[in-house]
Amino acid sequence: MKKTNTQNLQLGIFVILGLLIFVIAVYYIGKQQNLFGNTTQISSVFKNVNGLQLGNNVRFSGVNVGTVKNISILNDTAICVDMIIQNKTLTLIKKNALATISSDGLVGSMIVNILPGEESASEHIQLGDTIKSISKIATADMLTTLNTTNENAALLTADLLKITNAINKGEGLLGALIKDETMATEIKQSISTLQLISKSALQTVTKLNKMIDAIDIKNSVAGVLLNDTISAKKMSFLIESLNQSAIEINEITANFNAFSKELKNNEGALNYVMNDTIFVNHLDSSMKNIDQATEKLNENMEALKHNFLFRRYFRKLERENAKDEKN
Amino acid sequence: MAYLLSLKQNIASFFMEIGEMSFFSLRFFKELFTKPFEFKELLNQCYVMGNKSLFLVGVTGLILGIVFTLQTRPTLMDFGAVAWMPSMISISIVREIGPVIIALICAGRIGSSIGAEIGSMRVTEQIDAMEVSGTNPFKYLVVTRILAATLMLPLLVIFGDFIALIGSAIVENMKGSVSFVLYFNQVFEALTFSDIFPATIKTFFFGFAIGLVGCFKGYTSKKGTAGVGKASNSAVVYTSMLLFIIDFIAVFVTDIFV
Amino acid sequence: MNSKSNKEVLLVKDLFKGFGDNKVLNGFNLSLFEGENLVLMGKSGSGKSVLIKCLVGLMPPDSGSVELLGQDISKLNHSEMNDLRTNVGFLFQGSALYDSMTVRENLEFPLRRHSKKLTEEETDTLVMEALENVGLTHTVDWMPEELSGGMQRRIALARALILKPKIIFYDEPTTGLDPITAKEIILLILKIQEKFKTSSLIITHDVDCARVISNRMLLLLDGINYAEGTFTELSSSNDPKIKAFFK
């Protein structure tokens, strides 16, 4: 009989332990679903519950406080969600609290999130209260918005394409400006002329310098020149005007450089247009100046050649040139 | 022709066996509700099936939990979803793997021993001796065993599931940094009544199937030692098959109602 | 050796029993008188075991009647049958001890089943008494697997006797035992028969056993009681079929 008694004792322990585990498991699962203990039911009406299910968690500012108990469709735009909330958190949820439905994680289940209202209300919710809901942008809504944006973008692109085409074809003021080929050619020509002028100007100045050197050192005519007052007056005038020409040419070149820099740095059509008039004016005046300077220089040179004092020098120069060519 | 004939015979004997087993289970229910009740023998059988299988179930459950967790971890790690381990493991163990594996283990442990025991009692005329001694052997042997198996298997599954989850928690605790409290918190968070109740109800049927087939095969075993071996062997085979069929039906039904 | 009376404790009339096409019993008749040892001899497979199972209601006969202690067993319900069975002991061919129980539990089993009002002490006394009768009191807490074949047979005998039945059926009491042990069992059966004045029906194919035990013999052949008489009568018969039994 003793054997039977120990057996029964062990069996009893076995059964009770098993049942205990089961009951504890059931209790904890139930606790998660707030089926036991002090709870209160509140509800909220949504337009769209986004696949919320019975038993989904209800969170208050991110803390689990209850579960969804029932979901019922009131009409085509209203869905009532009943929630069970733990009594201990009930006092924290005010009457102006807002309920939203969101997803727990990327692919997680849906949850009801209760957010505290913006203004602090003194009264907390009670059994059977309905709190307001706000609908966060659901994925579907987001896609709709995105779609509109896309459509707008498409329209915008089409317009832009039209404008670009028009510009290319040279329609409109802007187009005309951008597409004016003659102007571009003129500018090019001006630049190359300018280059030529500055080259010749440079040559002249070099020659002049050499001449002056020759005057001072090689032929020792400086003294003669200096003593000859008439010649000297004429000479000083000549050199002065030559100097002026050189300065003017310099100025033009500087102007021109600045302009080309600007052109390089700001390649926009708008900039081009803005600089346009100034440029043209500049260019015009430069041309005039250059013309004048060249004229004057030529005159000076001619005068210099015919001056008896320099005649020998020029002949010598011609001879040397001929010598160089022979060699 | 001979093949067709034997096939026909096989099919016929299959249906005959099904029919016999149905009558057998019908008799079980009839005898279950008529006096006298062999309560003492029922307790004894509960002890033999429950307590004596606990070690086996415990070891199986522990290894099941550990291995299952170790095998699943890398896959979830690829997805960066290791945090889902507790909920995933617990749901699959409680809903499906726990009940089925433990029922299969018990089919081997309990089903075969019932088949062999009753089979050998039949062969050595112990069943006749019992009847002559004024005992209804069906009540004394069959009803108590089927009932004990039906009652004990759910408990064994509960123990097995629990130990499997402990095993899984140990792995998670060592491999990841999941504390036991967090693990079981997540487990209870993941589990719902629709996981635990259908799974538990299912195990009653598993237990019934194990007891029924074991007793049927033993009780109707033919004479001779070969008959005993065949009884215990076919008890395990038929039970295992039946377990999966019941599982399929249970999942099907659960799917409809839950 | 014999305290024969003419009161019939068992009467079998026109018993038929078959399994499919195999007709085992074809109108078998038998009567067992109070206090006698009737030996029923038959070849293996001649339906001896089937017959004895029909007699105690383990197997329903196809037709014919079995009257046990004046009651027709086919007309009894389950509980009446159980009551009747308290007066019938049965020694099974392979002893049929319950392997999962100790010797004591084996012996207690019929006691508890049939007479539930016994106290612990009374049960214990009866168990020890029964074991004393077969000389195995020291094995009371052994398991059947620890016993030798002969011991098992004796415990089985003790179990059959524990309710002090009026009739005992022996199904091949000496099969599977060596001649010496068989002899011991035979002598034990005789001793008990004398002590309790029971009527016995012994089914055997062992000639030695039949010779020692029998008051009267029946030969079962082709499903009927082929011949009847004392051992000496039958063993000196000229019928070749009867002679075949005594070779």
Side-chain angles (χ1 to χ4, degrees), chain A residues 15 28 31 75 108 125 127 195 238 245 259:
Chain A
V15 170
Y28 272 101
K31 204 179 165 195
N75 56 50
I125 50 164
L127 177 70
Q195 265 175 349
L238 194 85
S245 308
F259 175 69

Short mmCIF file of all heavy atoms in Angstrom, two decimals, chain A residues 15 28 31 75 108 125 127 195 238 245 259:
data_model
loop_
_atom_site.label_atom_id
_atom_site.label_comp_id
_atom_site.label_asym_id
_atom_site.label_seq_id
_atom_site.Cartn_x
_atom_site.Cartn_y
_atom_site.Cartn_z
N VAL A 15 0.63 16.43 -11.56
CA VAL A 15 -0.57 17.05 -12.14
C VAL A 15 -0.67 18.51 -11.72
O VAL A 15 -0.91 19.39 -12.56
CB VAL A 15 -1.82 16.27 -11.70
CG1 VAL A 15 -3.09 17.04 -12.08
CG2 VAL A 15 -1.84 14.90 -12.33
N TYR A 28 -0.65 35.04 -17.48
CA TYR A 28 0.23 36.06 -18.05
C TYR A 28 -0.21 36.49 -19.44
O TYR A 28 -0.12 37.66 -19.81
CB TYR A 28 1.69 35.58 -18.06
CG TYR A 28 2.39 35.92 -16.77
CD1 TYR A 28 2.57 34.98 -15.79
CD2 TYR A 28 2.81 37.23 -16.53
CE1 TYR A 28 3.17 35.30 -14.59
CE2 TYR A 28 3.41 37.55 -15.34
CZ TYR A 28 3.60 36.58 -14.37
OH TYR A 28 4.18 36.91 -13.20
N LYS A 31 -3.04 38.62 -18.92
CA LYS A 31 -2.61 39.91 -18.38
C LYS A 31 -2.14 40.81 -19.52
O LYS A 31 -2.38 42.01 -19.54
CB LYS A 31 -1.47 39.68 -17.39
CG LYS A 31 -1.34 40.79 -16.37
CD LYS A 31 -0.21 40.47 -15.42
CE LYS A 31 0.19 41.70 -14.64
NZ LYS A 31 1.48 41.50 -13.99
N ASN A 75 -20.61 53.37 -39.83
CA ASN A 75 -21.12 53.63 -41.18
C ASN A 75 -19.93 53.69 -42.13
O ASN A 75 -18.82 53.30 -41.75
CB ASN A 75 -21.95 54.91 -41.22
CG ASN A 75 -21.17 56.10 -40.69
OD1 ASN A 75 -20.05 56.34 -41.14
ND2 ASN A 75 -21.74 56.81 -39.73
N GLY A 108 5.40 45.40 -38.29
CA GLY A 108 4.75 44.94 -37.08
C GLY A 108 3.26 45.10 -37.15
O GLY A 108 2.71 45.61 -38.12
N ILE A 125 -10.48 60.77 -18.55
CA ILE A 125 -11.55 60.00 -19.18
C ILE A 125 -12.18 59.03 -18.20
O ILE A 125 -11.58 58.63 -17.20
CB ILE A 125 -11.04 59.22 -20.41
CG1 ILE A 125 -9.79 58.43 -20.03
CG2 ILE A 125 -10.80 60.15 -21.57
CD1 ILE A 125 -9.45 57.38 -21.02
N LEU A 127 -15.31 55.64 -17.86
CA LEU A 127 -15.87 54.47 -18.54
C LEU A 127 -16.80 54.91 -19.68
O LEU A 127 -17.68 55.73 -19.48
CB LEU A 127 -16.63 53.61 -17.54
CG LEU A 127 -17.34 52.38 -18.11
CD1 LEU A 127 -16.32 51.34 -18.53
CD2 LEU A 127 -18.29 51.79 -17.09
N GLN A 195 43.45 92.51 -80.59
CA GLN A 195 44.72 91.80 -80.38
C GLN A 195 45.79 92.34 -81.33
O GLN A 195 46.92 92.64 -80.94
CB GLN A 195 44.52 90.29 -80.63
CG GLN A 195 44.23 89.54 -79.34
CD GLN A 195 43.91 88.10 -79.60
OE1 GLN A 195 43.70 87.69 -80.76
NE2 GLN A 195 43.88 87.33 -78.55
N LEU A 238 56.27 115.07 -79.28
CA LEU A 238 56.12 113.76 -79.94
C LEU A 238 56.10 112.63 -78.90
O LEU A 238 55.20 111.77 -78.89
CB LEU A 238 57.33 113.55 -80.89
CG LEU A 238 57.17 112.43 -81.89
CD1 LEU A 238 56.41 112.95 -83.12
CD2 LEU A 238 58.55 111.95 -82.30
N SER A 245 49.29 107.77 -76.09
CA SER A 245 48.72 106.65 -76.87
C SER A 245 48.92 105.32 -76.14
O SER A 245 48.00 104.51 -75.99
CB SER A 245 49.42 106.54 -78.23
OG SER A 245 49.40 107.77 -78.87
N PHE A 259 36.47 92.61 -68.94
CA PHE A 259 35.24 92.14 -69.56
C PHE A 259 35.30 90.66 -69.89
O PHE A 259 34.38 89.89 -69.61
CB PHE A 259 34.97 92.96 -70.82
CG PHE A 259 33.79 92.47 -71.59
CD1 PHE A 259 32.53 92.64 -71.05
CD2 PHE A 259 33.94 91.82 -72.80
CE1 PHE A 259 31.44 92.16 -71.74
CE2 PHE A 259 32.84 91.34 -73.47
CZ PHE A 259 31.59 91.51 -72.96
#
